[in-house]
Each structure stands twice: as structure tokens, then as C-alpha cells.
């Protein structure tokens, strides 16, 4: 009990095996974070500025990118700082905040994927009712409701962790994870409520997965009967399915590694598995949707073309100005020397 009152900082021992390569890892992490910010912000700006993209599917894609930026902001700045530091510490409250941000972002991603699946179900299976069911205002309200619900569910998990009495300040990961903090509890009997609510949370988001599967059963059944729907499926549903499968696979690897990895896997491999869901989906999803969705392809092409034309016009203007200046300095002196009066 005496140790409980003095635990105001946590030591992140997951960095112990990366000390010799920390500058290389810092550069790679910084590069990865810059790419994540660039691709997600670019897609958000394109969707916001182009009124033709103010449709439910693209609004959800915009929310998807915002959620990716939110989640990675809870991880990358801290790990970049730790890679340049000799001591890897995080405050008790900072650890709880990081847990809240990362967990709520991961669960929100599954909620957004479920809402995307419903959007595709209505678009393909009930096209005549699509605009009445999935209006822009309703989609935004749905997205806000799902995100706020997820945030509150994760906040309850974090609060249940906050009330625990902890006996050790060492977390064997690169960042704070709720399960790792619960394992530090002095009295295992106090963690029963944490386990119950964690299982309820898992069931809630497993039902999201069931809903997605149910939606695609009807979507595939409808697409088999129509060539037009098959084309729509290939264009809009394939990126969604790839995102879903990637997310599920990564989360299964992470949960398996968290339960059994400490016994069989080296620390470096555990670290890589732990950060996959904060690296791969935020980079892959914007690029995949950008290359696959025709309207975004056209908009990106137009932006690139306008940028090149602007640069070309600027270069021509600079060259023309340089030629005029050169002409002025070459002609005017000779003109003055010709008109100078004789002595």
C-alpha cells in the first residue's frame, strides 16, 4: 500500500531493445507520421473543398481520416520524444489519456466501418430510398453519435482502471495499454469489474462485425443479379472490405501477441505487432480509397494538373521578367552612350 501513493510516473520498458537503433527508428517514425498526416489531411481537404464530394460515402471517408489523425496524435509525438530520450517515462494521467485516445480511435474505426457497410447496403440494395435514408445531415449525426458513444465506453474502461491500486510502475510496451495497467494492480480481486466491462466492450464491437457481415451478405446477394451493381461493388465496396480485413487481422495479431507474445516472441517483434494498427491503416486507407474511387482520382488529377500549370506559368513569368531586365540593362546603356554629346 505504501508503494501505491508514490506511483505518479510509468516506465515504458518496451524501448529497452531499441536503444542501439533509436536514431534510425526516430527517422522512420517521423517519416511515417509525416506521410500519415499528408495523405489524410490531403484527402480531408479535397473532400471539404469539393462540393461534388459532399455525399454520404465521402463524408464517412473524411470522418475515417479525421479519426486516423486523432489516434496517431496520441501515439507518434510521444514515441518520437521517447526515441530521443534516455529515460522513457510517462505521467500517470498522461498514460490514462494516451490509453483513452488510442483505444477510442481503434474502436471508432470499427464503428465507422460498420456505418460504411450500412451506407453501401442502402446504396446497392435500396437505391430508391438511399437519399432519404442516408442524407448528409443524418450521416454526420450518425458518425458523431458513434464516435461519442465509443469515447464514453472507453472512458468508463479508463475510469475503472483509474480506481485501481497499483504496485508497479513498469509497463512492458512502447505505449500505455489498458490491459497492461490493469496487470499492475495490487489486488487482483479489484480487477473483476474491469474484466467484466472489458468483455462487454468486446461483445459490443463484435456485434459491429456481425452487422458488417450481415450487410455484405445482402449486398453480395443483390450484386449477383445485376451487372451494374457488380461494377458499383467493385468500385466502392472492395476498398471497404480491404480496410475491414486489414483492421481485423491487425487487431487479432495484437490481442494474440498481448496474451501469449511475452512467452514466445522477442520484444522487437512484439513492439512491431503492437504499433501495426497505428501505422498500416492510417497510411493504407487514404491511398487505397484515393486510387480506387473515381471522383477522388479525378479531383487529385485536377489538383496536380493545376499545380503544374501554376508552376509552369510562374517559371514563364520569371523567365520573361529576367529577359526584360536583361534587355533593359543591355540596351539602355548603349543607347545612353550613343546619345552622349561630343566634347
Amino acid at each position: 500500500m505504501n508503494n501505491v501513493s508514490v506511483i505518479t510516473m510509468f516506465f515504458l520498458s518496451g524501448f529497452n531493445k531499441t536503444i542501439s537503433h533509436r536514431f534510425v527508428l526516430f527517422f522512420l517514425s517521423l517519416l511515417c507520421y509525416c506521410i500519415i498526416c499528408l495523405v489524410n489531411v490531403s484527402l480531408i481537404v479535397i473532400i471539404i473543398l469539393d462540393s461534388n464530394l459532399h455525399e454520404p460515402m465521402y463524408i464517412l471517408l473524411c470522418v475515417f481520416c479525421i479519426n486516423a489523425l486523432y489516434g496517431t496524435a496520441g501515439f507518434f509525438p510521444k514515441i518520437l520524444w521517447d526515441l530521443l530520450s534516455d529515460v522513457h517515462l510517462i505521467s500517470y494521467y498522461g498514460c490514462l489519456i494516451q490509453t483513452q485516445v488510442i483505444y477510442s480511435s481503434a474502436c471508432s474505426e470499427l464503428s465507422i466501418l460498420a456505418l460504411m457497410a450500412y451506407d453501401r447496403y442502402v446504396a446497392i440494395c435500396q437505391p430508391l430510398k438511399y437519399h432519404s435514408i442516408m442524407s448528409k445531415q443524418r450521416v454526420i449525426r450518425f458518425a458523431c453519435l458513434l464516435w461519442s458513444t465509443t469515447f464514453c465506453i472507453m472512458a468508463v474502461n479508463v475510469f475503472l482502471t483509474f480506481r485501481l491500486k497499483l504496485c508497479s510502475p513498469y509497463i512492458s510496451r512502447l505505449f500505455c495499454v489498458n490491459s497492461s495497467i490493469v496487470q499492475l494492480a495490487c489486488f487482483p480481486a479489484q480487477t473483476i469489474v474491469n474484466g467484466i466491462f472489458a468483455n462487454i466492450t468486446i461483445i459490443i464491437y463484435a456485434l459491429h462485425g456481425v452487422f458488417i457481415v450481415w450487410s455484405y451478405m445482402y449486398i453480395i446477394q443483390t450484386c449477383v443479379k445485376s451487372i451494374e451493381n457488380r461494377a458499383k461493388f467493385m468500385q466502392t465496396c472492395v476498398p471497404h472490405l480491404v480496410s475491414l480485413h486489414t483492421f481485423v487481422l491487425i487487431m487479432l495479431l495484437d490481442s494474440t501477441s498481448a496474451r501469449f507474445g511475452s512467452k514466445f516472441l522477442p520484444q522487437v517483434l512484439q513492439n512491431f505487432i503492437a504499433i501495426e494498427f497505428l501505422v498500416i491503416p492510417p497510411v493504407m486507407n487514404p491511398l487505397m480509397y484515393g486510387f480506387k474511387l473515381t471522383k477522388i482520382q479525378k479531383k487529385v488529377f485536377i489538383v496536380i494538373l493545376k499545380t503544374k500549370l501554376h508552376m509552369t506559368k510562374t517559371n514563364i513569368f520569371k523567365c520573361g521578367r529576367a529577359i526584360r531586365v536583361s534587355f533593359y540593362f543591355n540596351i539602355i546603356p548603349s543607347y545612353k552612350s550613343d546619345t552622349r554629346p561630343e566634347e
Side-chain angles (χ1 to χ4, degrees):
M1 290 294 292
N2 293 331
N3 291 334
V4 172
S5 60
V6 297
I7 296 179
T8 58
M9 305 291 292
F10 287 111
F11 294 87
L12 301 174
S13 58
F15 286 92
N16 293 344
K17 300 295 183 179
T18 62
I19 298 299
S20 57
H21 307 288
R22 61 179 182 174
F23 292 109
V24 175
L25 293 174
F26 173 82
F27 173 76
L28 292 176
S29 300
L30 180 61
L31 179 63
C32 182
Y33 190 42
C34 290
I35 292 172
I36 289 171
C37 291
L38 176 63
V39 295
N40 283 279
V41 170
S42 299
L43 203 55
I44 292 168
V45 171
I46 287 172
I47 293 172
I48 291 175
L49 295 182
D50 191 351
S51 59
N52 294 324
L53 298 178
H54 293 178
E55 299 176 5
M57 182 174 63
Y58 299 104
I59 293 172
L60 290 174
L61 180 55
C62 185
V63 173
F64 208 39
C65 294
I66 292 172
N67 185 67
L69 293 174
Y70 163 71
T72 52
F75 170 72
F76 277 99
K78 181 64 174 70
I79 196 174
L80 290 172
W81 176 266
D82 285 333
L83 287 171
L84 295 179
S85 304
D86 295 324
V87 181
H88 310 116
L89 295 170
I90 186 170
S91 68
Y92 180 79
Y93 292 105
C95 189
L96 295 179
I97 292 171
Q98 187 178 57
T99 299
Q100 170 70 18
V101 171
I102 292 176
Y103 269 64
S104 60
S105 172
C107 293
S108 294
E109 185 166 342
L110 187 57
S111 296
I112 297 167
L113 287 169
L115 189 53
M116 284 180 165
Y118 181 67
D119 173 74
R120 292 299 86 205
Y121 162 76
V122 177
I124 294 175
C125 299
Q126 301 181 24
L128 298 178
K129 298 180 180 179
Y130 180 74
H131 293 290
S132 60
I133 296 175
M134 299 298 289
S135 63
K136 291 185 286 188
Q137 293 78 11
R138 187 170 294 176
V139 167
I140 293 172
R141 284 199 296 268
F142 278 156
C144 292
L145 177 62
L146 287 175
W147 189 89
S148 57
T149 302
T150 299
F151 188 88
C152 291
I153 291 172
M154 293 303 112
V156 173
N157 277 282
V158 171
F159 174 76
L160 292 175
T161 302
F162 170 74
R163 69 183 180 82
L164 297 176
K165 310 297 183 182
L166 305 180
C167 286
S168 174
Y170 293 95
I171 296 176
S172 59
R173 296 184 69 129
L174 295 174
F175 56 93
C176 291
V177 178
N178 198 52
S179 58
S180 297
I181 303 173
V182 172
Q183 290 173 2
L184 305 177
C186 297
F187 309 105
Q190 290 184 337
T191 64
I192 294 174
V193 179
N194 294 71
I196 293 172
F197 199 82
N199 289 329
I200 293 173
T201 304
I202 291 171
I203 292 171
I204 290 171
Y205 289 98
L207 291 175
H208 283 59
V210 173
F211 175 78
I212 294 172
V213 172
W214 173 83
S215 300
Y216 271 97
M217 285 174 59
Y218 282 94
I219 290 172
I220 293 172
Q221 185 179 1
T222 305
C223 289
V224 169
K225 304 174 184 177
S226 170
I227 297 176
E228 181 182 353
N229 285 333
R230 278 182 230 162
K232 190 183 294 185
F233 178 88
M234 293 301 296
Q235 185 181 12
T236 61
C237 295
V238 169
H240 179 261
L241 285 174
V242 173
S243 298
L244 176 64
H245 282 86
T246 303
F247 176 80
V248 171
L249 179 61
I250 288 173
M251 296 310 295
L252 286 175
L253 281 174
D254 181 62
S255 60
T256 304
S257 174
R259 287 180 179 273
F260 310 108
S262 58
K263 298 179 181 179
F264 306 105
L265 300 177
Q267 184 66 49
V268 175
L269 185 57
Q270 290 182 52
N271 291 343
F272 176 74
I273 293 173
I275 65 172
E276 276 185 317
F277 76 99
L278 292 163
V279 175
I280 296 175
V283 173
M284 182 192 73
N285 291 335
L287 293 175
M288 181 177 57
Y289 280 101
F291 283 119
K292 189 66 179 174
L293 299 180
T294 306
K295 287 187 178 181
I296 294 180
Q297 280 182 0
K298 291 179 180 178
K299 185 62 180 177
V300 171
F301 177 75
I302 290 171
V303 170
I304 294 172
L305 186 61
K306 285 183 177 179
T307 303
K308 288 185 176 181
L309 287 173
H310 177 72
M311 292 176 63
T312 304
K313 288 180 180 179
T314 303
N315 291 333
I316 291 172
F317 175 77
K318 288 180 179 179
C319 290
R321 185 177 179 182
I323 292 170
R324 287 196 299 272
V325 170
S326 176
F327 179 80
Y328 176 83
F329 282 107
N330 288 333
I331 300 299
I332 297 301
S334 62
Y335 171 77
K336 289 182 178 179
S337 62
D338 292 341
T339 58
R340 186 173 56 192
E342 295 182 358
E343 295 182 358

